Amino acid sequence: MAKKRLRVGLVIDYIISDYSQVIISGIRKTCSEIQAELFIFPIAEMHNIHSTYDYQNLAVTALISSKNLDGIIFCSGTQMHYLTKAELVSYLKSFTPLPVVNLSLEVPGIPSIVVECYNAYKVLIDNLVDVQKCDNFVIVGVKGNSAEAKTRTKYIKEILQEKGIPANKITLLKASFHYLDTLECLEQYYAENGEFKFNALLCLNDEMAYGALLFCKKHGLRIPEDLVVVGFDDLENSPCCFPPLTSINQQLFEQGRKATSILIDLIGGKEVDKITVIEAKSVLRDSTCRNGYTPEMENSEFCYVDSRPKNEVFSHNSGTEWYLKKSQMYQITNYYTEMQYNMTVEQLRTRINDDVRSFGISACAVVLYEKPIEMATPFDYFNLPHKASVFSAFDDKNNFDSNKNACPHKFDPNNHMLPAGILEVGAEGLFVISLFHNTLQYGYIVIRPGAYDTSVYDLLTKIMSTIISSTYSYSLMDKEKTTFRAKYDKLDVIARTDELTGLNNRRGLFDLGQVTLNFAKTMKQSGMIVYCDMDGLKKINDTFGHESGDRAIIAESIILRGNFRSNDIVSRIGGDEFMVFLEAASSA
């Protein structure tokens, strides 16, 4: 019997984050080495007050249990913008007894990996002040409760003060960790002050620094001659900027590898360190190289100079990467436009596998709850329903396709994330993402991403949520419309039918007679109307009772129907009065 493979879960904020992608790559590497399975749960930012429905992403954490996973790695650093540490600790402990390893912050009682960046900042700022001759600093900090942001800002201020930079030469601006918000923050400062007098700009992550580079270009600030710029994280694009960006490398890849190794030991019952410290390193590039770098800098334990030739730096980027991403975004926006029509559930089910494949995804399963679940207010914990079904699924590795293979549709998601045999799980990881639209939870989607940019997959899952919501609403509306139509038709028949005899009543005669009359006029046909009543009905009623009278009326209707053609309109228009409308008939 084959040995059961370990199942590792990773809880991150967003799949489009470069920060998350580097951590994921480190975790994948270790999972591949030990042949573990990886599941990735993007939950957005908890308690995010600036996003109306981001809380809905958190629903997939209900799938994090010992039935689906052997342990999880939780990225806490990106969750501290709106959470307090006490709230984070409480949330992490809700996953126990499942083994948990925490990234970024020290959490009591949970093995944690923390990054120490003081020494990296110290060697960098020493160089900025002593060698690059910077003496007027602006720090672009972060709004909110981010512990990492507070620590970085604190270190920068402390080191600058130790270097003798006075408080009036240290300015703190606050944006967010995002490109456009940083650009807007700097533009606002420039508009209010009419100048940008600083000669050193320190951002708390690389994305912010990219926004700063654009700001400098727009306002003719030369880098590094007029202003040196520093980022943090040392993302993949930082060496490819113009000029290449100096940054702090907090060893994200190594964090992912280390976290996975610790989790494996924890699952195996081994003792692990409560705190693992990883030292960050400054990476010096052209954006801070105003006066060159000293040999001491190149040999520092907490710093290195990235002096790679340009052809080596750009070897992974042929210059067409932007056009590739543009084409991918064009494809996904076209798909969104194409899907803007009403379709039935079956129409969607038939096409969705091939639609998803067209974006390089090699495996996908769409799970829908029996009924959408209203989640109108933000939540931390989501109660999974007990009834769900696999709406569609395929895996090109095992050649499963729900359009071709029998699929165990209905299951209880509390027992397992997916029925067995649908998707293969490997070290490359499966993303598990909530499917929701506004306040309604529809289910979740499990995908094995391909080579497209992660922003395409993020947008694709949002589009699929919208499509599923639209299809569900359309199908519900169509069902209600069909039901209403059937009821209307039934009522219409009742309204035009004599209850006792089943013949047309007066209204039925007039409606059908008018249609027949109009047709006869058009075709220049003649016709006849026959009127008759029953003799002696009153005597039958008085002598034998009204039930006998009713039986006599019914007998009369049977006689009339039996003696006229099937297309003649036989009607009871009163108590004992009958009328027959004969199309294409004459007295001859």
Side-chain angles (χ1 to χ4, degrees):
M1 183 175 179
K3 182 180 177 182
K4 180 184 174 185
R5 299 172 70 181
L6 290 177
R7 300 162 300 173
V8 173
L10 170 64
V11 182
I12 59 173
D13 55 350
Y14 302 99
I15 63 173
I16 62 172
S17 163
D18 289 338
Y19 170 94
S20 296
Q21 287 301 311
V22 181
I23 288 176
I24 291 171
S25 65
I27 295 172
R28 281 175 174 155
K29 178 68 174 175
T30 305
C31 285
S32 177
E33 291 170 354
I34 63 172
Q35 294 188 323
E37 299 175 350
L38 175 61
F39 293 87
I40 302 163
F41 301 85
I43 65 170
E45 292 177 289
M46 295 176 66
H47 297 192
N48 187 345
I49 59 175
H50 300 296
S51 180
T52 307
Y53 300 113
D54 246 12
Y55 67 89
Q56 294 276 38
N57 290 284
L58 202 60
V60 290
T61 59
L63 296 164
I64 298 175
S65 72
S66 58
K67 294 178 179 179
N68 294 317
L69 301 169
D70 294 303
I72 66 167
I73 299 167
F74 192 95
C75 290
S76 61
T78 54
Q79 295 299 337
M80 294 307 295
H81 301 158
Y82 309 102
L83 282 180
T84 66
K85 192 166 184 179
E87 288 172 329
L88 174 68
V89 171
S90 174
Y91 188 72
L92 283 178
K93 289 186 175 179
S94 71
F95 292 113
T96 56
L98 203 64
V100 180
V101 173
N102 177 53
L103 277 175
S104 298
L105 299 174
E106 180 181 347
V107 176
I110 294 177
S112 302
I113 295 176
V114 298
V115 176
E116 180 52 67
C117 60
Y118 178 86
N119 293 317
Y121 268 128
K122 180 70 169 66
V123 70
L124 171 64
I125 293 173
D126 282 349
N127 177 265
L128 294 183
V129 175
D130 297 337
V131 180
Q132 311 304 332
K133 304 304 179 184
C134 299
D135 58 7
N136 197 351
F137 288 77
V138 58
I139 306 165
V140 185
V142 176
K143 307 167 189 173
N145 298 321
S146 171
E148 289 181 316
K150 290 178 180 178
T151 298
R152 293 171 200 172
T153 303
K154 174 175 171 285
Y155 284 171
I156 293 170
K157 285 184 173 181
E158 285 179 359
I159 297 168
L160 286 174
Q161 289 168 1
E162 289 171 5
K163 297 297 294 182
I165 303 298
N168 65 347
K169 294 293 185 178
I170 305 172
T171 300
L172 177 64
L173 304 178
K174 288 194 175 182
S176 72
F177 275 126
H178 304 299
Y179 179 95
L180 290 177
D181 196 35
T182 302
L183 179 60
E184 183 181 345
C185 171
L186 295 174
E187 291 287 5
Q188 183 177 346
Y189 178 89
Y190 189 85
E192 291 173 354
N193 294 274
E195 61 179 351
F196 204 74
K197 58 187 177 181
F198 312 101
N199 52 30
L201 191 158
L202 282 70
C203 297
L204 299 192
N205 78 353
D206 283 2
E207 188 175 336
M208 300 169 79
Y210 301 155
L213 293 177
L214 179 58
F215 167 80
C216 292
K217 181 178 180 181
K218 288 177 63 178
H219 293 283
L221 295 170
R222 298 172 302 162
I223 303 172
E225 293 84 358
D226 300 326
L227 180 70
V228 302
V229 179
V230 176
F232 194 102
D233 285 335
D234 193 29
L235 298 178
E236 184 180 16
N237 286 323
S238 294
C240 307
C241 295
F242 185 79
L245 179 68
T246 290
S247 187
I248 306 287
N249 189 322
Q250 61 168 320
Q251 314 293 326
L252 294 175
F253 183 85
E254 182 59 27
Q255 285 188 53
R257 282 183 62 83
K258 194 68 177 176
T260 312
S261 297
I262 293 173
L263 182 63
I264 298 306
D265 287 344
L266 204 60
I267 294 169
K270 297 180 181 179
E271 287 289 328
V272 300
D273 294 332
K274 294 302 180 185
I275 302 294
T276 301
V277 178
I278 293 178
E279 283 283 352
K281 289 187 177 183
S282 293
V283 185
L284 305 181
R285 300 191 180 97
D286 292 357
S287 70
T288 55
C289 189
R290 181 185 294 171
N291 298 316
Y293 295 118
T294 64
E296 290 78 16
M297 294 291 293
E298 297 191 23
N299 298 320
S300 170
E301 179 184 356
F302 305 106
C303 169
Y304 69 90
V305 178
D306 186 357
S307 55
R308 289 176 293 169
K310 292 293 186 290
N311 62 333
E312 182 181 337
V313 171
F314 287 94
S315 61
H316 75 286
N317 186 342
S318 64
T320 61
E321 182 184 3
W322 185 85
Y323 292 96
L324 174 63
K325 291 183 178 181
K326 180 182 177 182
S327 298
Q328 292 173 355
M329 292 305 294
Y330 183 72
Q331 180 184 346
I332 191 70
T333 51
N334 273 354
Y335 178 63
Y336 178 71
T337 303
E338 178 192 337
M339 298 299 285
Q340 297 302 298
Y341 73 95
N342 291 328
M343 70 178 85
T344 65
V345 169
E346 285 308 311
Q347 286 174 324
L348 177 61
R349 194 196 310 273
T350 300
R351 66 171 294 172
I352 196 168
N353 286 353
D354 288 336
D355 287 349
V356 172
R357 276 192 182 96
S358 70
F359 293 97
I361 292 173
S362 60
C364 173
V366 177
V367 174
L368 299 183
Y369 304 135
E370 184 180 44
K371 294 180 180 178
I373 300 170
E374 179 82 25
M375 300 298 291
T377 56
F379 58 87
D380 287 345
Y381 306 99
F382 178 73
N383 292 319
L384 281 171
H386 287 279
K387 292 182 179 180
S389 62
V390 179
F391 179 75
S392 62
F394 73 90
D395 189 337
D396 292 335
K397 281 189 175 182
N398 62 15
N399 295 319
F400 178 85
D401 191 314
S402 57
N403 290 331
K404 302 173 184 176
N405 308 103
C407 183
H409 289 297
K410 296 186 183 300
F411 71 103
D412 184 347
N414 292 276
N415 294 332
H416 41 256
M417 196 182 309
L418 287 172
I422 293 180
L423 301 189
E424 284 190 13
V425 188
E428 69 272 74
L430 297 176
F431 286 108
V432 186
I433 303 170
S434 293
L435 286 174
F436 66 90
H437 186 68
N438 295 342
T439 62
L440 291 177
Q441 278 282 337
Y442 287 93
Y444 51 92
I445 181 172
V446 183
I447 64 171
R448 183 191 301 128
Y452 278 52
D453 191 80
T454 51
S455 60
V456 173
Y457 297 133
D458 181 68
L459 185 54
L460 178 62
T461 56
K462 289 180 171 62
I463 290 173
M464 289 179 67
S465 291
T466 302
I467 292 169
I468 288 168
S469 172
S470 174
T471 302
Y472 180 86
S473 298
Y474 173 73
S475 297
L476 188 63
M477 182 178 65
D478 189 57
K479 183 178 179 181
E480 289 178 349
K481 183 179 177 181
T482 302
T483 302
F484 177 80
R485 184 73 225 181
K487 289 181 179 179
Y488 175 83
D489 290 345
K490 185 176 180 180
L491 290 172
D492 188 53
V493 169
I494 291 172
R496 293 187 292 107
T497 303
D498 177 57
E499 184 178 5
L500 180 62
T501 64
L503 299 176
N504 293 293
N505 59 16
R506 182 185 296 270
R507 178 183 173 183
L509 172 66
F510 288 165
D511 289 348
L512 293 175
Q514 187 63 56
V515 172
T516 304
L517 185 60
N518 292 340
F519 179 78
K521 286 182 177 179
T522 301
M523 301 301 295
K524 301 186 183 309
Q525 293 178 342
S526 60
M528 293 181 63
I529 294 177
V530 176
Y531 171 82
C532 57
D533 65 356
M534 293 177 62
D535 292 335
L537 179 62
K538 185 176 183 304
K539 186 175 182 179
I540 295 172
N541 285 334
D542 292 343
T543 305
F544 301 104
H546 285 278
E547 288 187 9
S548 296
D550 288 345
R551 286 196 293 273
I553 292 172
I554 293 170
E556 178 73 13
S557 70
I558 293 172
I559 292 170
L560 290 173
R561 268 192 292 218
N563 285 277
F564 287 96
R565 300 169 300 179
S566 60
N567 63 322
D568 293 333
I569 304 170
V570 182
S571 308
R572 180 189 175 205
I573 59 174
D576 63 348
E577 298 175 303
F578 296 84
M579 184 175 287
V580 184
F581 195 109
L582 295 90
E583 180 187 356
S586 65
S587 56

